[in-house]
């Protein structure tokens, strides 16, 4: 079949966006993976699928597939691209929409300056819901109940890293590092992603504190590897930093591909993610 798609990005986190309202889409994991492949397909960190929602209080349903073909619960940068796509394609006249995802309803809003702000919902700290298996883990350090010691095995050597574990609908493990540019992201990112205590794997965040309202962040994403930006990763990092008493909302997040802004008023409150959404090109591919 001929598939129409739009290539987009949010701070360098890149997407193939597909209108599945006006096209009949029913792909296997292998087909999603092939479409996301940077050599044999279009190439993307994630594939974003636009569907009608069966929920009367939602304008659309939003499905997300990682570069490895796996379907996942949430994508923050993708939510901004999604909102811009449905507006540009005339699928909605509204600038604020409610979108059904695998992990609940999010609410993107198109801003006057072209950026998009998304109500990403409240972070989840219940380890069973992340999911994160705490069985057999050494005691938690004082101060913040999201902090856990994670033992990594590297070439026979054991190293313990302190990570904040939480969910933004998708799982995150965030650590503070002195310098994101020298942090061992390529080395320890995969070890954390595939750590035995994360039954559904996890996104691994590496956060450098610039000041109480500014961080630098790199994320080794589940199912995609290191991306130039990670929206839910930025949300998770700021929530972790605020809970550890290291950050004050709102926080500027410098990702390698661009700047995001995160605001959070505390436990039980939604996290707001603001950033760019860029359309790069339209295309058609035979799949
Ligand atoms: N790799 C993530 C999904 C995409 C998240 C990221 N691109 C964002 O902007 O939130 C996961 O497997 O949970």
């Amino acid at each position: 079949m001929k598939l129409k798609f739009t290539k987009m990005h949010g701070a360098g986190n890149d997407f193939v966006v597909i209108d599945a309202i006006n096209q009949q889409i029913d792909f296997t994991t292998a087909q999603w993976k092939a479409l996301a492949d940077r050599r044999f397909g279009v190439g993307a960190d994630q594939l974003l699928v636009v569907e009608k929602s069966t929920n009367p209080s939602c304008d659309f349903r939003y499905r997300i597939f990682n570069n490895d073909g796996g379907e996942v619960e949430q994508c923050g940068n993708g939510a901004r691209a999604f909102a811009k796509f449905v507006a540009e394609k005339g699928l909605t006249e509204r600038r604020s929409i409610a979108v059904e995802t695998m992990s609940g309803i999010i609410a993107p809003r198109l801003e006057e300056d072209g950026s998009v702000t998304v109500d990403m919902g409240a972070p989840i700290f219940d380890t069973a819901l992340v999911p994160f298996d705490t069985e057999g883990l050494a005691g938690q350090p004082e101060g913040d109940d999201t902090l856990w010691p994670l033992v990594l095995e590297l070439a026979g050597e054991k190293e313990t890293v302190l990570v904040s574990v939480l969910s933004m609908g998708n799982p995150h493990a965030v650590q503070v590092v002195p310098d994101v540019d020298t942090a061992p992201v390529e080395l320890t990112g995969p070890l954390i992603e595939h750590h035995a205590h994360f039954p559904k794997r996890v996104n691994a965040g590496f956060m450098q504190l610039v000041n109480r309202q500014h961080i630098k962040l790199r994320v080794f994403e589940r199912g995609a590897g290191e991306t130039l930006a990670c929206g839910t990763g930025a949300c998770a990092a700021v929530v972790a930093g605020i809970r550890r008493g290291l950050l004050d909302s709102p926080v500027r997040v410098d990702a390698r591909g661009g700047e995001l802004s995160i605001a959070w008023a505390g436990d039980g409150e939604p996290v707001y993610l603001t950033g760019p959404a860029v359309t790069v090109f339209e295309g058609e591919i035979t799949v």
Side-chain angles (χ1 to χ4, degrees):
M1 74 170 278
K2 281 203 176 303
L3 177 73
K4 290 187 183 344
F5 67 86
T6 300
K7 190 73 176 38
M8 302 183 76
H9 76 84
N13 185 192
D14 70 326
F15 311 111
V16 166
V17 190
I18 296 162
D19 172 355
I21 297 173
N22 297 297
Q23 297 182 106
Q24 189 60 41
I25 311 287
D26 181 16
F27 291 161
T28 63
T29 300
Q31 286 177 302
W32 288 121
K33 186 175 165 71
L35 188 56
D37 188 287
R38 295 193 184 283
R39 296 288 187 285
F40 297 100
V42 179
D45 292 329
Q46 280 86 33
L47 306 160
L48 313 180
V49 181
V50 181
E51 298 181 345
K52 283 190 185 311
S53 173
T54 54
N55 181 331
S57 58
C58 289
D59 299 279
F60 297 99
R61 182 171 174 229
Y62 167 33
R63 296 179 71 191
I64 304 138
F65 298 84
N66 274 327
N67 178 268
D68 68 1
E71 185 166 7
V72 289
E73 312 88 343
Q74 197 53 267
C75 178
N77 288 327
R80 301 197 310 276
F82 185 104
K84 179 161 185 181
F85 177 85
V86 295
E88 282 183 343
K89 292 293 181 186
L91 294 172
T92 180
E93 298 302 316
R94 304 171 61 172
R95 295 184 65 81
S96 278
I97 55 176
V99 183
E100 176 193 359
T101 72
M102 263 171 78
S103 62
I105 297 172
I106 57 172
R109 181 184 69 238
L110 297 179
E111 304 289 10
E112 289 308 317
D113 66 0
S115 68
V116 186
T117 294
V118 191
D119 170 345
M120 293 297 297
I124 296 161
F125 303 109
D126 179 344
T127 53
L129 301 179
V130 172
F132 176 56
D133 175 9
T134 61
E135 183 72 29
L137 281 184
Q140 284 186 278
E142 292 299 311
D144 171 14
D145 62 1
T146 64
L147 272 178
W148 291 89
L150 215 52
V151 177
L152 306 180
E153 300 241 1
L154 207 56
E157 300 285 316
K158 287 194 177 187
E159 176 199 353
T160 299
V161 291
L162 206 50
V163 291
S164 293
V165 176
L166 66 151
S167 169
M168 286 304 303
N170 60 346
H172 290 272
V174 189
Q175 60 186 284
V176 174
V177 294
D179 180 341
V180 285
D181 294 326
T182 58
V185 176
E186 300 81 1
L187 213 55
T188 60
L191 299 180
I192 297 171
E193 177 192 3
H194 295 278
H195 198 282
H197 283 272
F198 291 98
K200 289 191 173 177
R201 296 181 291 159
V202 71
N203 298 283
F206 300 77
M207 151 167 74
Q208 175 185 340
L209 304 167
V210 177
N211 62 46
R212 292 188 63 85
Q213 290 194 282
H214 182 189
I215 64 171
K216 292 183 179 180
L217 180 68
R218 289 174 68 183
V219 181
F220 190 92
E221 286 198 29
R222 176 181 62 171
E226 180 174 8
T227 57
L228 292 180
C230 177
T232 51
C235 296
V238 169
V239 167
I242 290 172
R243 262 179 151 260
R244 293 182 63 176
L246 303 170
L247 295 175
D248 302 313
S249 178
V251 176
R252 170 183 157 184
V253 180
D254 290 352
R256 289 196 145 179
E259 186 180 316
L260 302 174
S261 177
I262 307 292
W264 182 53
D267 283 17
E269 296 297 323
V271 185
Y272 293 94
L273 161 66
T274 300
V278 177
T279 300
V280 182
F281 63 86
E282 308 278 342
E284 194 172 90
I285 184 170
T286 303
V287 288

